[in-house]
Amino acid sequence: MVCQYGDGIAGYGLCSGMKGGQNMFCIGDKVAHPMHGAGVIADIVREKVAGAVQDYYVFRLSVGGLVLKIPTASSGAVGLRRVADQEEILALMSALPTLETEMTANWNRRYRENLQRLKSGDLYEVARVIKGLACRDSQQGLSTGERKMLHTAKQILISEIVLALGREYEAVERCVNAAMSGEKVV
């Protein structure tokens, strides 16, 4: 597959990624990082780091403007994946009001379980974190760490919906909040 290439790699016009056809992304592809949310591959660059030359995806997040460089060879291990399509997002949004959540009372265990859910990159698991922490917040309040995790989880979910549907952040946030509180949203 031939794609547009950036200034970082002179003459480097092929998509980069893992060998065997797995996880190959091109400049302009919309992708999701499990711990940072969704964004766009802005460039593919070749750099020498610690004596080794590697190719990197230059990943620009759609929310907040953070830019990450992710080695192309380990993008699959990192959990980089294509953004969900419109059909998947609409199915998720309609499932949010009835999404089951189960959280342990032990703060430390709950935090670790929620962190694993976020790291999975699964949007349903991210939604479970949001719904569970939001419910707990309304009943008992959250610690600073859990409040930060709730904020991060919301940004991860909302950023992907924004990119998948091409909608404004605030509008998507309102829809997600309504769905989490039990309203049917499609």
Side-chain angles (χ1 to χ4, degrees):
M1 176 186 285
V2 178
C3 294
Q4 167 191 5
Y5 56 90
D7 298 331
I9 305 171
Y12 192 69
L14 296 176
C15 291
S16 185
M18 296 175 67
K19 297 202 185 313
Q22 302 174 26
N23 258 358
M24 292 180 65
F25 303 112
C26 299
I27 295 170
D29 283 354
K30 297 175 183 179
V31 297
H33 186 287
M35 294 303 294
H36 295 288
V40 176
I41 300 294
D43 203 354
I44 302 170
V45 297
R46 182 169 288 150
E47 293 183 3
K48 187 174 185 177
V49 177
V53 176
Q54 284 192 58
D55 294 336
Y56 293 87
Y57 293 123
V58 178
F59 176 62
R60 185 176 311 279
L61 274 79
S62 60
V63 176
L66 180 67
V67 177
L68 302 173
K69 286 186 180 175
I70 302 168
T72 59
S74 63
S75 64
V78 167
L80 207 60
R81 62 170 174 75
R82 295 196 184 283
V83 167
D85 63 27
Q86 184 174 352
E87 185 178 304
E88 292 168 313
I89 294 296
L90 295 176
L92 171 70
M93 291 300 290
S94 61
L96 287 180
T98 59
L99 195 64
E100 301 274 331
T101 60
E102 185 180 310
M103 298 214 173
T104 181
N106 179 293
W107 181 91
N108 192 28
R109 180 180 293 158
R110 185 174 59 246
Y111 187 86
R112 282 183 284 141
E113 288 172 355
N114 283 334
L115 189 58
Q116 282 306 113
R117 286 183 178 114
L118 290 181
K119 286 181 178 179
S120 75
D122 182 329
L123 288 179
Y124 285 88
E125 292 301 314
V126 173
R128 281 185 177 87
V129 170
I130 296 167
K131 195 164 186 178
L133 289 177
C135 180
R136 186 163 186 84
D137 188 27
S138 69
Q139 294 170 353
Q140 301 172 357
L142 296 175
S143 68
T144 303
E146 285 186 312
R147 188 169 307 285
K148 183 178 178 185
M149 181 178 280
L150 175 59
H151 176 74
T152 300
K154 276 187 170 182
Q155 279 196 309
I156 290 168
L157 181 67
I158 292 170
S159 69
E160 187 154 354
I161 296 171
V162 164
L163 268 184
L165 301 181
R167 303 234 172 99
E168 293 294 320
Y169 187 92
E170 293 78 18
V172 170
E173 185 175 28
R174 281 191 302 275
C175 286
V176 167
N177 288 338
M180 290 292 178
S181 64
E183 295 178 33
K184 194 93 169 145
V185 178
V186 179

Short mmCIF file of all heavy atoms in Angstrom, two decimals, residues 5 32 43 53 65 89 100 114-115 180:
data_model
loop_
_atom_site.label_atom_id
_atom_site.label_comp_id
_atom_site.label_asym_id
_atom_site.label_seq_id
_atom_site.Cartn_x
_atom_site.Cartn_y
_atom_site.Cartn_z
N TYR A 5 3.72 10.53 2.27
CA TYR A 5 4.71 10.47 3.33
C TYR A 5 5.11 11.88 3.74
O TYR A 5 4.97 12.83 3.01
CB TYR A 5 5.94 9.66 2.93
CG TYR A 5 6.63 10.14 1.67
CD1 TYR A 5 7.64 11.08 1.74
CD2 TYR A 5 6.28 9.63 0.43
CE1 TYR A 5 8.28 11.51 0.59
CE2 TYR A 5 6.91 10.06 -0.72
CZ TYR A 5 7.90 11.00 -0.62
OH TYR A 5 8.53 11.43 -1.75
N ALA A 32 -6.37 4.91 17.67
CA ALA A 32 -6.61 5.09 19.10
C ALA A 32 -5.49 4.45 19.90
O ALA A 32 -5.06 3.34 19.60
CB ALA A 32 -7.95 4.47 19.48
N ASP A 43 2.65 11.84 10.84
CA ASP A 43 3.86 11.63 10.06
C ASP A 43 4.43 10.26 10.42
O ASP A 43 4.05 9.67 11.44
CB ASP A 43 4.89 12.73 10.37
CG ASP A 43 5.92 12.92 9.26
OD1 ASP A 43 5.92 12.13 8.28
OD2 ASP A 43 6.72 13.86 9.37
N VAL A 53 18.48 2.83 14.57
CA VAL A 53 17.57 3.56 13.69
C VAL A 53 16.23 2.84 13.71
O VAL A 53 16.15 1.62 13.51
CB VAL A 53 18.14 3.62 12.25
CG1 VAL A 53 17.15 4.29 11.32
CG2 VAL A 53 19.47 4.35 12.24
N GLY A 65 -4.03 18.19 21.97
CA GLY A 65 -2.89 18.48 21.10
C GLY A 65 -1.60 17.77 21.44
O GLY A 65 -0.55 18.10 20.90
N ILE A 89 -19.51 2.66 17.11
CA ILE A 89 -19.75 3.75 18.06
C ILE A 89 -21.24 3.84 18.40
O ILE A 89 -21.62 4.00 19.56
CB ILE A 89 -19.23 5.10 17.51
CG1 ILE A 89 -17.70 5.07 17.38
CG2 ILE A 89 -19.70 6.26 18.38
CD1 ILE A 89 -16.93 4.91 18.66
N GLU A 100 -23.48 -2.97 32.41
CA GLU A 100 -23.28 -3.45 33.78
C GLU A 100 -21.89 -3.06 34.27
O GLU A 100 -20.91 -3.15 33.53
CB GLU A 100 -23.40 -4.97 33.82
CG GLU A 100 -24.73 -5.51 33.35
CD GLU A 100 -25.76 -5.55 34.47
OE1 GLU A 100 -25.37 -5.70 35.62
OE2 GLU A 100 -26.95 -5.42 34.15
N ASN A 114 -9.49 -1.06 37.32
CA ASN A 114 -9.88 -0.02 36.37
C ASN A 114 -8.73 0.35 35.45
O ASN A 114 -8.94 0.60 34.25
CB ASN A 114 -10.40 1.22 37.11
CG ASN A 114 -11.81 1.03 37.61
OD1 ASN A 114 -12.59 0.25 37.06
ND2 ASN A 114 -12.15 1.74 38.67
N LEU A 115 -7.51 0.37 35.96
CA LEU A 115 -6.34 0.66 35.12
C LEU A 115 -6.19 -0.42 34.05
O LEU A 115 -5.91 -0.12 32.89
CB LEU A 115 -5.09 0.76 35.99
CG LEU A 115 -3.84 1.27 35.30
CD1 LEU A 115 -4.06 2.65 34.68
CD2 LEU A 115 -2.68 1.32 36.29
N MET A 180 -24.68 7.71 30.15
CA MET A 180 -24.18 7.11 31.40
C MET A 180 -25.19 7.24 32.53
O MET A 180 -25.22 6.42 33.43
CB MET A 180 -22.87 7.79 31.82
CG MET A 180 -21.70 7.47 30.93
SD MET A 180 -21.23 5.74 31.11
CE MET A 180 -19.91 5.66 29.92
#
